[in-house]
Amino acid sequence: MSGAREPGDPHDVLAMVFARPKEALQAARAILAGGRGPYDSSIARQAIGILHREFGDLEAAIGELRQAVRLARRSGSPDREADVLATLGIALVHRGRTRSGLSALDSAAGRATGTTRARVLFRRAGARWILGRHREALDDLKAAAPALLRAGDTVWAARALSLRGHVQLALGGVQAADADFGTAQRMFATTRQEHDSVVAIQNRGVAASVAGDLPTALALLDEADEGFRRLGTPMPDLVADRCAVLLAAGLAREALEQADAGLRLIARLRGQATRRAELLLLAARAALLAADPATARERAAEARALFAGQRRAWWAEHARLILVQAGLAEGATPRLLGDARRLAGRLAELGSPDAWQAHLLAGRAALELGRAAVADRHLAAAARARHHGPATARAGGWLAEALRAEAAGQPRRLLHACRAGLALIEEHRLTFGSSELRALVSAQGVELVKLALRHLHRAGRSRELLGWTERWRATALAVPPMPPSDDPELLGRLAALRRLDQLLAGAHSGGGASAARLERERAALEARVRAETLRLRGPGGQEENGFDCRRVLESLGPGGRLAELVLIDGVLHVLLCGDGRVRRYAVGPVGRAVAETEFARSRLRRLAYEPQTDPGELAALGRRLEEAVLGPVADRLAGGPCVVVPPSVLHAAPWGLLPSLRRTAFSVAPSAAAWLRARASTPPDGGRVVLVGGPDVPNAKAEVRAIEELYETRDLTVLDEGAATAQAVLSAIDGCRLAHLAAHGTFRADSPMFSALHLDDGRLTGYDLERLRRAPYRLVLSSCDSAQMAAVGADELLGLATALLRLGTAGIVASVLPVNDVSAVPLMVRLHAGLSSGLDLAEALRRARGDDVSFIAIGA
């Protein structure tokens, strides 16, 4: 089969199947229409069967391949019959007919000789890999790959190396797999196998994902997606691979949506049952990470049933892992412990690199049930994962070690394990250029931090408690900012989004039917922008570590206070820093604090649009909220300058409503470390002031003109009345001393980096602001909800304010509530009067505030 053939030989059709699938289909149909003999016709039917198997209807594929087997048998060629039988065997395995598929493959291996036999062994290895029989697959590949290389069969030898890479990945050999995928890609580059070349790119993306290099994985999978689109070959496998990367990045909801889309695609194509089962398993994992255990159980149970029917024990046990994890989320039982213990043994027998997860589950369940010896045995087995594998797996091993230490009452060992696990995640986070991914990945360290905080709280070590709280709060802001992207495609898409905004505004105002279509276009364009930013690579290396409590206390100065709110086992505490000390105060249930915050915000939203407000109602609201969020600390904050550092779940509290803060110069910071960094920011050499008035803001012109009169400086830029375009605003505020933006804002909880200010040519988003080379030293945002941020990851925040703080803005004045347009103008004028006389943001806002509770100072 590997010898030289004349042009037009029907064997060329098989070579074209993956290289040029559309041409292959036309050529195969031409052979059948030409009434050629059984040998040639069997090749044509086989080619059509492969095309159906990979890109279309699996039942149709099996029908074509059965005809191809009958024709091959009539041709009298054992090699031809063996080759088609092997193709049929793979199709049957994909359809879930495992016994029939393996029987066909065994029969083919017994009939074939030479190069044909090597190709059959490769296919049987593929079936065994699908079934999770990895050692048997490697045995077949050990015979197939050298034989194909000796025969000079480049395409099939490269395919064998690709398959060996997948088997190595399943057994935990990431580096060996990546080497095989890279070699295969280089070999395919010497052939005309375009599809296989794109698959090699996809495989390298899978290896990068397993290794934890998510930016590279996303870039390679996007490159593969473009290749498959160019070839016109839908690839459910690519959907599954992208889901796995999204899961590793912490984007569980997005992963679940993509898995569901892949399942719909397979159903529409009547595609492979094996792929359906694998996507169900991914959907179950995504649902579990998205805190939806009911959906996780449902998808995992369906996946396990399919795997069992397909005789795929390796996969079935991984589906059972999800079922046990979902069960443990609702509480340990003796039966669940038994399931976890059996699962750990079974995964170890199968050579799964995920066996440590089952041991960790068994250890957790045993701890809950008070079975200390059993717990220690399984946690010790899980802890071995800390010495090898990707960063996330090693961090999981350190978590197991920390749980062991806590159970044994060994605090030093506990804190060492927590530090080591967090250090791995911190190093991993630095590989990301995307602020969203850096924030999301912090969730992987939540339990390590909780263990450390619980111990330090019990030990009464308040300073260390502050240090550990800071270790995992607003850490995305601590990562050095990436240089702004000058990628013309990204810049073009951001500009296109603004053009769509203008078209949408016209469509909505005119009641046009095109609005729905434009909304879909905008959603698709936003997805492309987000995908490009997720691929950005971070600086790598190691993060500067070591929070300095003494520096915080020294920076506060005489009479200064910093109140850091901490959640420990559902209870809200305040760590009060000042006068050279850190003292801890218990406040109460965090659930109450969240409920009171939401109640106050809801009531204030309504009051913002009422002509008169009852001062007594505001005072009562403030007292209720203050008791819930500050408790005994409130009296100690009144009067003197202070900084409030809330957890992400309380960041949107209307702090200006609290009686102790109404007449106090206070600022709100994402973390004490962020406050220190903001405080250390130096103003630019020039004194440039930028005033921006956005469209459709009733009092923007009056606001900008009144503020303009306060600044006697030549270095003053005013952009309004149609001049406030995104590019003009970005150019003006880049590195300025003070910027004031009077523009409507939109907060996007679903995608916080798309939160935006509305300018004359459309939205200015968080992604646009990240393009600044230097953020404005101070910024005032007079629009509604401009201080809103979304809580993500462990204790992270994303939004317009965080984008600027990370770039070096020292302080921001913004609102956490709707703003009364009439009263906002005099407030802003008073604020700028204070700033122009040399006051800092917090003091200027205190003097300007009056009865307003909407605005807060963020940063220093």
Side-chain angles (χ1 to χ4, degrees):
M1 290 181 68
S2 62
R5 293 187 297 275
E6 294 298 322
D9 189 300
H11 286 94
D12 292 336
V13 176
L14 290 175
M16 285 195 299
V17 164
F18 291 115
R20 302 181 300 284
K22 293 178 182 177
E23 293 178 39
L25 182 60
Q26 293 172 352
R29 287 173 174 167
I31 290 173
L32 294 175
R36 307 272 279 269
Y39 189 96
D40 291 356
S41 296
S42 77
I43 292 175
R45 293 286 181 192
Q46 183 181 9
I48 295 172
I50 294 171
L51 287 165
H52 277 304
R53 184 191 72 195
E54 294 299 314
F55 313 121
D57 188 332
L58 200 53
E59 282 298 332
I62 291 170
E64 291 284 349
L65 293 170
R66 289 195 189 281
Q67 290 189 62
V69 170
R70 288 192 289 271
L71 289 164
R73 194 168 292 139
R74 282 173 50 197
S75 75
S77 168
D79 270 5
R80 176 93 284 274
E81 183 179 353
D83 195 69
V84 184
L85 267 175
T87 305
L88 173 62
I90 287 288
L92 289 168
V93 169
H94 276 304
R95 193 69 185 95
R97 303 174 192 172
T98 302
R99 186 172 301 183
S100 298
L102 289 176
S103 176
L105 285 160
D106 289 342
S107 178
R111 295 166 187 262
T113 58
T115 304
T116 300
R117 186 170 190 278
R119 292 182 176 185
V120 169
L121 291 177
F122 157 75
R123 291 177 176 125
R124 190 170 69 180
R128 287 172 165 174
W129 167 63
I130 291 168
L131 297 171
R133 303 177 184 179
H134 300 116
R135 299 297 178 190
E136 295 175 33
L138 282 178
D139 289 341
D140 276 345
L141 289 170
K142 284 178 183 176
L148 292 167
L149 286 168
R150 283 195 302 270
D153 196 340
T154 303
V155 170
W156 284 79
R159 289 173 181 168
L161 290 177
S162 295
L163 178 57
R164 190 173 72 183
H166 281 296
V167 177
Q168 298 278 20
L169 272 186
L171 294 172
V174 181
Q175 290 182 329
D178 188 53
D180 278 344
F181 292 147
T183 302
Q185 185 179 4
R186 290 190 292 274
M187 292 172 70
F188 283 131
T190 67
T191 73
R192 299 184 64 194
Q193 296 298 116
E194 294 180 47
H195 178 86
D196 281 319
S197 293
V198 178
V199 170
I201 295 170
Q202 176 186 352
N203 291 339
R204 287 179 50 223
V206 173
S209 172
V210 175
D213 187 353
L214 302 189
T216 296
L218 287 165
L220 288 168
L221 293 179
D222 284 347
E223 184 181 347
D225 187 36
E226 290 177 12
F228 290 134
R229 288 178 189 276
R230 187 176 64 250
L231 293 171
T233 53
M235 289 295 290
D237 276 356
L238 187 64
V239 175
D241 294 339
R242 197 187 299 277
C243 285
V245 177
L246 292 173
L247 278 177
L251 295 163
R253 280 292 165 195
E254 288 89 336
L256 183 56
E257 289 169 6
Q258 289 228 359
D260 285 343
L263 289 166
R264 290 193 294 272
L265 174 63
I266 287 175
R268 188 168 68 249
L269 297 176
R270 299 178 66 191
Q272 298 172 355
T274 51
R275 286 174 174 165
R276 173 175 169 75
E278 291 160 21
L279 272 174
L280 280 167
L281 179 59
L282 277 168
R285 285 178 183 154
L288 190 65
L289 287 174
D292 187 356
T295 300
R297 277 196 301 271
E298 177 187 328
R299 302 292 174 82
E302 187 178 354
R304 189 183 178 203
L306 284 172
F307 288 135
Q310 296 161 7
R311 300 178 181 272
R312 300 171 71 185
W314 191 89
W315 292 91
E317 295 303 325
H318 283 78
R320 192 153 69 98
L321 179 62
I322 303 295
L323 290 170
V324 175
Q325 287 172 323
L328 187 59
E330 297 179 353
T333 64
R335 180 177 178 180
L336 190 70
L337 173 58
D339 287 345
R341 296 177 71 180
R342 286 188 292 273
L343 179 61
R346 185 75 178 115
L347 287 174
E349 288 173 13
L350 292 167
S352 169
D354 295 328
W356 70 270
Q357 293 189 36
H359 282 296
L360 181 58
L361 286 172
R364 287 182 187 279
L367 283 176
E368 283 192 36
L369 296 171
R371 299 181 61 178
V374 174
D376 187 71
R377 187 161 62 251
H378 284 285
L379 291 174
R384 287 196 284 272
R386 70 191 190 275
H387 299 307
H388 53 81
T392 49
R394 283 180 285 150
W398 281 112
L399 172 59
E401 176 66 8
L403 289 169
R404 283 186 77 202
E406 184 184 46
Q410 298 176 330
R412 293 184 64 175
R413 182 175 150 210
L414 164 68
L415 293 178
H416 170 72
C418 292
R419 284 192 197 95
L422 288 177
L424 283 169
I425 297 171
E426 287 161 356
E427 184 177 346
H428 180 47
R429 185 174 62 239
L430 279 174
T431 64
F432 301 140
S434 161
S435 53
E436 182 178 4
L437 284 185
R438 286 196 296 268
L440 286 164
V441 78
S442 66
Q444 296 170 358
V446 166
E447 193 164 2
L448 289 165
V449 173
K450 285 182 177 179
L451 286 169
L453 293 182
R454 183 185 302 148
H455 161 67
L456 294 168
H457 164 54
R458 290 171 180 167
R461 293 152 64 177
S462 297
R463 284 203 180 204
E464 289 181 69
L465 194 58
L466 176 64
W468 273 90
T469 303
E470 283 290 307
R471 180 91 186 245
W472 215 240
R473 175 167 289 181
T475 53
L477 299 181
V479 178
M482 294 295 296
S485 173
D486 292 324
D487 178 3
E489 287 191 13
L490 177 59
L491 299 183
R493 289 189 176 117
L494 290 170
L497 275 174
R498 284 188 282 277
R499 288 195 296 272
L500 273 175
D501 285 338
Q502 292 178 314
L503 293 172
L504 264 170
H508 284 307
S509 62
S514 61
R517 175 180 58 80
L518 291 171
E519 290 280 10
R520 289 194 296 272
E521 286 183 21
R522 184 168 71 176
L525 197 53
E526 284 184 350
R528 296 290 296 274
V529 169
R530 187 161 174 259
E532 287 186 39
T533 59
L534 292 180
R535 294 198 305 256
L536 294 175
R537 174 165 290 282
Q542 289 190 332
E543 202 168 314
E544 286 188 15
N545 220 329
F547 173 74
D548 191 345
C549 183
R550 284 178 301 176
R551 190 172 156 222
V552 170
L553 294 170
E554 290 167 2
S555 299
L556 287 170
R561 298 285 185 271
L562 183 144
E564 181 135 353
L565 282 63
V566 186
L567 310 181
I568 304 173
D569 292 335
V571 177
L572 183 64
H573 301 258
V574 176
L575 298 175
L576 184 62
C577 305
D579 299 327
R581 298 175 60 192
V582 179
R583 289 161 288 184
R584 183 190 59 80
Y585 298 86
V587 177
V590 67
R592 180 190 172 202
V594 172
E596 289 294 347
T597 296
E598 290 305 313
F599 176 75
R601 286 178 55 79
S602 175
R603 187 65 189 127
L604 289 170
R605 282 183 177 278
R606 277 179 268 169
L607 292 174
Y609 301 105
E610 294 182 6
Q612 290 186 335
T613 302
D614 179 7
E617 181 180 2
L618 283 180
L621 272 177
R623 286 193 298 272
R624 283 181 55 173
L625 182 60
E626 184 170 85
E627 184 182 349
V629 299
L630 291 180
V633 175
D635 292 341
R636 292 170 171 80
L637 299 182
C642 72
V643 183
V644 179
V645 182
S648 57
V649 293
L650 296 176
H651 82 95
W655 299 100
L657 180 65
L658 276 56
S660 60
L661 301 180
R662 286 291 294 271
R663 299 292 179 261
T664 300
F666 76 93
S667 62
V668 178
S671 69
W675 174 72
L676 282 174
R677 285 192 297 272
R679 194 171 181 276
S681 294
T682 55
D685 294 335
R688 185 156 46 94
V689 176
V690 179
L691 307 178
V692 177
D696 303 321
V697 181
N699 299 296
K701 184 175 180 180
E703 184 176 314
V704 168
R705 293 294 174 262
I707 296 170
E708 183 180 1
E709 294 177 3
L710 298 171
Y711 292 99
E712 298 177 1
T713 174
R714 295 177 185 175
D715 203 355
L716 176 69
T717 301
V718 178
L719 298 171
D720 63 357
E721 297 184 312
T725 63
Q727 190 53 55
V729 170
L730 285 174
S731 298
I733 69 174
D734 200 316
C736 72
R737 179 170 63 87
L738 173 63
H740 177 102
L741 279 70
H744 286 307
T746 302
F747 172 64
R748 288 276 300 274
D750 64 316
S751 190
M753 292 303 290
F754 278 114
S755 298
L757 297 169
H758 295 265
L759 301 178
D760 287 316
D761 62 341
R763 294 177 297 161
L764 183 76
T765 68
Y767 292 117
D768 290 298
L769 291 173
E770 287 192 327
R771 290 168 45 211
L772 291 170
R773 302 193 180 277
R774 180 174 181 180
Y777 178 66
R778 284 177 176 166
L779 179 70
V780 178
L781 300 172
S782 63
S783 59
C784 299
D785 292 314
S786 50
Q788 279 278 70
M789 292 174 274
V792 297
D795 208 357
E796 304 284 340
L797 294 165
L798 284 180
L800 295 177
T802 54
L804 290 161
L805 288 173
R806 192 170 66 87
L807 290 173
T809 293
I812 301 169
V813 167
S815 66
V816 293
L817 292 163
V819 174
N820 186 302
D821 291 328
V822 175
S823 62
V825 174
L827 187 154
M828 288 294 118
V829 173
R830 292 193 298 270
L831 172 70
H832 280 276
L835 293 175
S836 63
S837 68
L839 298 179
D840 64 28
L841 277 178
E843 180 60 26
L845 182 59
R846 182 189 73 81
R847 297 189 186 188
R849 181 176 289 121
D851 293 329
D852 179 81
V853 297
S854 303
F855 288 94
I856 59 171
I858 304 172

